[in-house]
Amino acid sequence: MPRPRSGPAITAAGRLAGNRASGAGDTNGHVRDRPALTGSETRFRVLSHLAPVGIAEVDADGRCTFVNERWSVLTSQTAADCAGRSWLEFVHPDDAARVWRQWELARAAGHELRVDFRLGRAGAEPLWVGAAVAAAPDSPGHPAGYLVAITNISARKRAEGERARLLQAERAAAARMTEQTERLRSLVAAAIPGIMLLDENHNILQVNQALCDLLGIGKPADEIAGNVSDQITGAVRQTFADPEGVIATMRQYRLREERAEGVRIPCADGRVLECDFWPIIVSGRYRGGAWLLWNMSERAESEQEHSRRLQSELASRREAEHARAELAEQNDELRAQNEQKMRFLATVSHELRVPLASIVSYVELLEDEPGLPNVAGEYLDVIQRNAERLMHLVGDLLLLRRLEDGVLPMELTPVSVRDLVADAARSAAPAARRDGRRLDWSVTGGPPLVADRARILQVVDNLVANALKFTEPGGAITIRAEQAGDRWRIAVSDSGIGIPPEEAGRLCQRFFRASNTARSGRPGFGLGLSIVKEIVDMHDGELDVTSTIGAGSTFTITLPAAGPAVADQRPEAGKRGTSAG
């Protein structure tokens, strides 16, 4: 939450404290730092005492000089607790930044502020209030103070939330209904038998092309919908051998709202159609009907087609069920493997803690030994630093389960990028020299980062360790850090084996290793880049990978630079270093 500005408000708070000490205050116990109340101020106090809204009088910096009883009730704070505090301190932390910005804009423009927010009340549920903030009536132009009025609007907010929920449910129901209607239309249009759907007034809702073909209707199916069913009988009289009898029979079933099955209709061309009528009853009321027609002369072929489709569908279902069973089995196996890996990592991590702790302890004892050569002290520093980094890595392994829940504790402090990169380079230099690889690093000037130094150092260490692992002797690794606008860009490049393009998108998956990595026999668990990605994401950063097979890779992390809350914003001096094998 933004902090109120200091200055005159501190003096006012002091006067308030003095008034409390001397017993000064109004009849309600609300503190005032003026020696006497004028008649208008007395009326204001009486009105504020009777008002059903919370009222606070604040100075130019927003600090309370007077609050009424309703304010105390709404904020769960006594008048003495409110004295000298900014009215913004009562805003819920989730709403504080928004309310502060709106008030700053209103003050700058000389406008009244009206805003809704939640009150953060200690030991009680947050309370929604509507606030109005205006300059005090006796201070136009450059106000010396403001009046803040808050009204409990929790009931309205609950009603608005309920309305939104109901509206969303209504829209979802309408969408489902539309989807079901479209699905029904598609089913009717694609059905093998002829289908005609009627409403309760005998209007045609839909027919499919199969029915038009069976009855010899020359119009497209979509042009028939909307007509009264009796209007199409003239177009089909030539189809039936006894058209009047057929029309009378169909009207009889329709008017009686009775179900009919297997009604055979002789046609003039010798065909025999079989007809079914299904009344549609909703909540006990007739809402229309469905006519279905089949060509009995082609029944054998239709039955064969139906059987083929049925067998195909059954086979597809069996394959789908088999695939689902295999998928479920694979998922169970993957979950078991993942659980086994997690238990293994947890066990290894616990087992590593003890020897690492012993290494750190004995290094500290050696450093305290008198007469220790300087070079030995430097080596011990490197041993201790790397042992501590291993301890951090062990901690990360133990936190993998917490990473599943998106929880990773961080200690955000100003971090020198130059020192960060230098530490990473110093740590990796012995390995680079030992294997004949060149390690260069450079940092341009810029502000510090606001980050968890240990975590970001772990990120850079992991990227440099990967570069060393996949670069052949005689190759080169480069660490470059530069400021880009309001962000820092740290890139680790190597001249190693590269990454297959089709596998680059999976590098940050846990336990995934590139295919050429496995073939080269290089060790690893596939955890480093997943941890890097998690840490970078939790710092609101980005991780980018570019690679060419056989020519090397570049891993670039982009992190926000230090914000205005950091005291030391002095640019760092540029720094460059090299370690050759």
Side-chain angles (χ1 to χ4, degrees), residues 131-318:
V133 186
D138 58 349
S139 55
H142 298 284
Y146 298 85
L147 294 178
V148 183
I150 56 176
T151 306
N152 187 349
I153 60 171
S154 296
R156 190 190 81 191
K157 286 293 184 179
R158 286 193 297 271
E160 290 175 353
E162 181 64 17
R163 283 197 299 271
R165 186 189 66 79
L166 292 176
L167 179 59
Q168 184 178 3
E170 181 179 351
R171 289 175 177 172
R176 288 194 299 271
M177 181 64 69
T178 300
E179 182 181 354
Q180 292 173 1
T181 301
E182 291 301 320
R183 188 181 294 115
L184 176 61
R185 290 183 181 277
S186 300
L187 179 62
V188 169
I192 295 175
I195 298 178
M196 179 171 62
L197 300 178
L198 305 175
D199 64 13
E200 64 269 30
N201 298 318
H202 317 309
N203 296 316
I204 299 175
L205 297 177
Q206 187 179 1
V207 297
N208 64 356
Q209 192 60 43
L211 183 134
C212 294
D213 295 340
L214 286 172
L215 298 183
I217 300 175
K219 294 182 179 180
D222 56 0
E223 294 184 8
I224 300 175
N227 294 321
V228 178
S229 59
D230 290 342
Q231 294 178 356
I232 70 169
T233 57
V236 299
R237 285 182 183 274
Q238 68 275 16
T239 302
F240 303 125
D242 181 15
E244 297 301 331
V246 171
I247 293 173
T249 300
M250 296 176 67
R251 183 178 293 124
Q252 176 185 4
Y253 286 121
R254 188 185 65 197
L255 294 177
R256 290 181 179 178
E257 302 172 4
E258 294 179 353
R259 176 177 173 180
E261 295 184 69
V263 178
R264 294 197 172 186
I265 305 175
C267 297
D269 59 2
R271 292 177 301 148
V272 177
L273 301 182
E274 187 172 279
C275 176
D276 289 354
F277 176 72
W278 295 71
I280 300 174
I281 308 299
V282 180
S283 300
R285 294 182 56 193
Y286 175 74
R287 303 295 292 177
W291 288 98
L292 288 80
L293 277 77
W294 289 268
N295 186 349
M296 293 297 295
S297 57
E298 300 175 356
R299 183 164 187 168
E301 183 179 350
S302 298
E303 288 179 351
Q304 291 177 2
E305 178 66 14
H306 178 71
S307 177
R308 185 188 65 80
R309 290 178 179 268
L310 180 60
Q311 292 300 323
S312 177
E313 182 179 353
L314 291 175
S316 298
R317 288 183 179 178
R318 285 194 296 269

Side-chain angles (χ1 to χ4, degrees), residues 420 449 451-460 535 539 559:
L420 185 82
L449 291 171
D452 186 317
R453 189 183 193 281
R455 299 297 179 190
I456 297 302
L457 182 58
Q458 182 180 358
V459 166
V460 179
I535 296 174
H539 282 81
L559 301 168

Side-chain angles (χ1 to χ4, degrees), residues 371-381:
L372 191 69
N374 291 336
V375 65
E378 294 176 3
Y379 291 162
L380 288 175
D381 289 340

Side-chain angles (χ1 to χ4, degrees), residues 182-510:
E182 291 301 320
R183 188 181 294 115
L184 176 61
R185 290 183 181 277
S186 300
L187 179 62
V188 169
I192 295 175
I195 298 178
M196 179 171 62
L197 300 178
L198 305 175
D199 64 13
E200 64 269 30
N201 298 318
H202 317 309
N203 296 316
I204 299 175
L205 297 177
Q206 187 179 1
V207 297
N208 64 356
Q209 192 60 43
L211 183 134
C212 294
D213 295 340
L214 286 172
L215 298 183
I217 300 175
K219 294 182 179 180
D222 56 0
E223 294 184 8
I224 300 175
N227 294 321
V228 178
S229 59
D230 290 342
Q231 294 178 356
I232 70 169
T233 57
V236 299
R237 285 182 183 274
Q238 68 275 16
T239 302
F240 303 125
D242 181 15
E244 297 301 331
V246 171
I247 293 173
T249 300
M250 296 176 67
R251 183 178 293 124
Q252 176 185 4
Y253 286 121
R254 188 185 65 197
L255 294 177
R256 290 181 179 178
E257 302 172 4
E258 294 179 353
R259 176 177 173 180
E261 295 184 69
V263 178
R264 294 197 172 186
I265 305 175
C267 297
D269 59 2
R271 292 177 301 148
V272 177
L273 301 182
E274 187 172 279
C275 176
D276 289 354
F277 176 72
W278 295 71
I280 300 174
I281 308 299
V282 180
S283 300
R285 294 182 56 193
Y286 175 74
R287 303 295 292 177
W291 288 98
L292 288 80
L293 277 77
W294 289 268
N295 186 349
M296 293 297 295
S297 57
E298 300 175 356
R299 183 164 187 168
E301 183 179 350
S302 298
E303 288 179 351
Q304 291 177 2
E305 178 66 14
H306 178 71
S307 177
R308 185 188 65 80
R309 290 178 179 268
L310 180 60
Q311 292 300 323
S312 177
E313 182 179 353
L314 291 175
S316 298
R317 288 183 179 178
R318 285 194 296 269
E319 290 180 1
E321 291 174 357
H322 180 67
R324 282 196 295 268
E326 286 188 346
L327 182 60
E329 183 178 353
Q330 291 174 1
N331 287 337
D332 291 340
E333 184 178 351
L334 288 174
R335 279 193 292 268
Q337 291 177 359
N338 186 63
E339 187 67 24
Q340 185 177 4
K341 289 179 181 178
M342 297 301 294
R343 288 196 299 268
F344 170 74
L345 290 174
T347 302
V348 170
S349 300
H350 282 295
E351 292 297 328
L352 286 175
R353 279 185 177 273
V354 174
L356 285 174
S358 298
I359 291 173
V360 172
S361 299
Y362 277 105
V363 166
E364 292 175 350
L365 291 173
L366 286 174
E367 287 179 339
D368 293 336
E369 286 292 327
L372 191 69
N374 291 336
V375 65
E378 294 176 3
Y379 291 162
L380 288 175
D381 289 340
V382 173
I383 293 173
Q384 184 176 23
R385 184 166 61 250
N386 284 278
E388 290 174 350
R389 290 178 186 173
L390 284 175
M391 291 287 285
H392 283 297
L393 178 58
V394 169
D396 286 336
L397 293 175
L398 292 174
L399 285 174
L400 280 176
R401 286 189 180 273
R402 299 177 65 185
L403 283 172
E404 293 288 345
D405 300 326
V407 177
L408 182 66
M410 295 193 301
E411 296 182 4
L412 300 181
T413 59
V415 177
S416 167
V417 178
R418 180 195 59 200
D419 294 344
L420 185 82
V421 173
D423 283 351
R426 279 195 297 268
S427 177
R433 287 194 299 269
R434 182 181 64 247
D435 297 329
R437 299 174 179 89
R438 181 179 179 84
L439 176 62
D440 298 331
W441 63 274
S442 64
V443 180
T444 62
L449 291 171
V450 173
D452 186 317
R453 189 183 193 281
R455 299 297 179 190
I456 297 302
L457 182 58
Q458 182 180 358
V459 166
V460 179
D461 281 345
N462 280 353
L463 295 180
V464 174
N466 275 352
L468 289 171
K469 182 190 299 183
F470 300 115
T471 300
E472 299 295 338
I477 295 92
T478 303
I479 312 171
R480 300 190 186 279
E482 60 182 3
Q483 185 185 4
D486 60 348
R487 302 175 77 81
W488 270 100
R489 184 180 294 119
I490 304 174
V492 178
S493 303
D494 62 62
S495 58
I497 63 175
I499 303 164
E502 67 276 7
E503 299 178 4
R506 301 178 58 194
L507 288 177
C508 294
Q509 296 179 6
R510 292 173 189 171

